[in-house]
Amino acid sequence: MSTPDAKAKPAPQFAKTTFTPAPVTAPHNDHGACCGGSQPESAPVLSPASGTRYSWLVNGMDCAACARKVENAVRQLSGVNQVQVLFTTEKLLVDAESDIRAQVETAVASAGYVLRSEDAPQAPAPSRLKENLPLMVLILLMAISWGLTQINHPLGNFAFIATTLVGLFPIARQALRLIKTGSWFAIETLMSVAAIGALFIGATAEAAMVLLLFIIGERLEGWAASRARKGVSALMALKPDTAVRVRDGQRETVAQRDLRPNDVIEVAAGGRLPADCKLISAFASFDESALTGESVPVERITGECVPAGATSVDRLVQLSVTSEPGDSAIDRILRLIEEAEERRAPIERFIDRFSRIYTPAIMLVALLVAVLPPLLAGAEWQPWIYKGLTLLLIGCPCALVISTPAAITSGLAAAARRGALIKGGAALEQLGRIHHIAFDKTGTLTVGKPRVTSIVALNGTTEDALLALAAAVEQGSSHPLATAIINEANARHLTLPEAQNQRALAGSGIEADVNGEKVLICAGDKFPAEDQAAQIRALEEAGQTVVVVVKNQRLQGILALRDTLRDDAREAVSALNALGVQGVILTGDNPRAAAAIANELGLDFHAGLLPADKVNAVTTLNQQAPLAMVGDGINDAPAMKASTIGIAMGSGTDVALETADAALTGNRLKGLAQMISIARATRANIRQNITIALGLKAVFLVTTLLGITGLWLAVLADTGATVLVTANALRLLNRKV
């Protein structure tokens, strides 16, 4: 007896990457997220260009543009192979041939940012007063200058000059730092040039206003960035810093990083797990919603796995640690988020390249606007220099640069909150184009385990008696059908008779002696049963596996088993149809079993497919329209790779999870529609942000050349655009799906 398309399902594992503290060693894990065994000694991670990878946390970054400044500063160093700043998790990764940590820290400090080791304690946040003191001082000086202007204009003018110099000093200093580290066209440079130029042409009040609005904009960007990173910070906070470890009956409080596999820990009711564990206690309920998005507590019994970050709902429990430090389910999700940031969307890469050309180009245009009319047409210098400086500020690329990463970061965070992990902007962009989905059947649309679906008792036998007899014969067998029969008997709390002399019959079934009588369990076509032939055929045509129970050569009854649908499969397909997404089943199972599931869901199907056949089917469908492939097994991995985007079930094999571009961590199929809805909303959000950023610039460009827009309005327009695109992107975090 066998179940078609059966796959082994290890415990969920979300991602394996090599982002670990400096100097980095890569943990190796061939097990699931919770039930990992002991791991071999790790070796230094090598970058693609060969060398050791080092990592730090970066303090002081307010936006994606800051991340580029840090990258530029490190890229100037000799011996650096690769450098990447992951803005979402505030992490700097450097691949180098030799140990250049000291040089990297010096270079980043020269650019105006601070590095700290990943295992160093978080520095206390500065007080609100200290954080906003420069802004408050500048506002006070502006008010004093304006008041002096009303009393004595020359004195007020001098006060505005002093106010400008006070506000300009930190900005100009940062501009010089960035120029030295390779960032020639940073916003600080544009602001410094504009403010100094305004002083030279006598626009002192506007020079001071430019700097005030710029500092306000910086504070708003910092606030928006912290909001965007809040989801990641909440995930990092899921693991408690300490744990209660039990050794030789003694309890001790230890740091979470000191836990090792096989350590026994205690977690009180309401407490969170500091690592992936196996439950030692007999029974407990755990809230795993922070990781899976599933709001209903999950019931676990002895030996079952529980991921880090889960909360014990109602009792004190003992557990055995299964994960190495830095390799729990939460750590793997964080690494996946970091890896996702490296996989930037095509539109994001284009905007980044465009901005690098755009900024020097706008500076050149501003210069030409300032000097050509006076030189060629004899126009007055001051008005055209003023227009050039205004154009310089209007051309600031901040809003454009942040328009895409802000939306993508919010979209990825919104998906992660709902138990859907998307590996980067490129995958998110592709997902938004999907209108067709191909499903594997076993373990994806179905639970992956057969269940008893029908019991037909004959010749005076009751259903319970028939099931108890079959379960007694199957006792001790690990076959999936045998397990299903035994589980059904246990669920009905049946008392099983004692079976002896159990023996497998090659090609026939299994036989045993029960109460002195021979009992045989075999496939429906292995025992002549003319009276029940039509009934057996009907059950098989419905996609069920049929076994018969025979006692002393007399038929006692029929058991029908089938892999059943996931609880949310129908809801998921209906939600996808509402989005205009059509589904098809691609399975290696037999056509009758596939047809039964397909008919229940209203989907087309292709059955009896080998892995190569699935690839061919996916390739053909993908040529008609962008296609997502959803699977969970090793045999699904090639098809997932051939599709526009591969989506893995969280309980799937390691190969499927690593091949996929996205994963449903909670095995909730209804997350597919949510994932696609969020991806489409993110694409629309990006288009809106680019329109806001470029549209405002186009409007103010015209008004500047017409002499309508002044310096302070230019800064207000740029700051306003930056705040608008950031606020628009943050709407994705609270979007209802």
Side-chain angles (χ1 to χ4, degrees), residues 278-322:
K278 278 185 180 178
L279 183 62
I280 296 175
S281 302
F283 171 85
S285 296
F286 293 91
D287 179 358
E288 301 178 7
S289 59
L291 282 171
T292 66
E294 183 58 61
S295 58
V296 179
V298 180
E299 296 181 351
R300 301 291 186 190
I301 60 175
T302 302
E304 288 194 331
C305 301
V306 189
T311 303
S312 176
V313 174
D314 56 1
R315 66 192 63 197
L316 175 74
V317 292
Q318 281 199 346
L319 309 105
S320 174
V321 174
T322 61

Side-chain angles (χ1 to χ4, degrees), residues 7-16 30-33 440 442-444 447 566 630-636 640 647-660 662-667:
K7 308 183 186 86
K9 307 273 189 313
Q13 177 161 331
F14 305 123
K16 290 182 189 172
D30 289 327
H31 307 273
D440 170 51
T442 306
T444 301
V447 295
R566 289 184 181 273
V630 186
D632 72 320
I634 292 174
N635 63 344
D636 299 322
M640 290 162 66
I647 303 172
M649 301 299 291
S651 62
T653 61
D654 292 354
V655 174
L657 284 163
E658 292 184 8
T659 301
L664 296 169
T665 62
N667 288 329

Side-chain angles (χ1 to χ4, degrees), residues 38 134 209 266 293 330 379 382 410 441 492 503 528 628 718:
S38 60
M209 181 62 75
E266 277 190 350
I330 291 176
Q382 183 167 335
S410 295
K441 182 180 77 68
R492 297 189 181 200
R503 51 203 172 275
D718 178 67

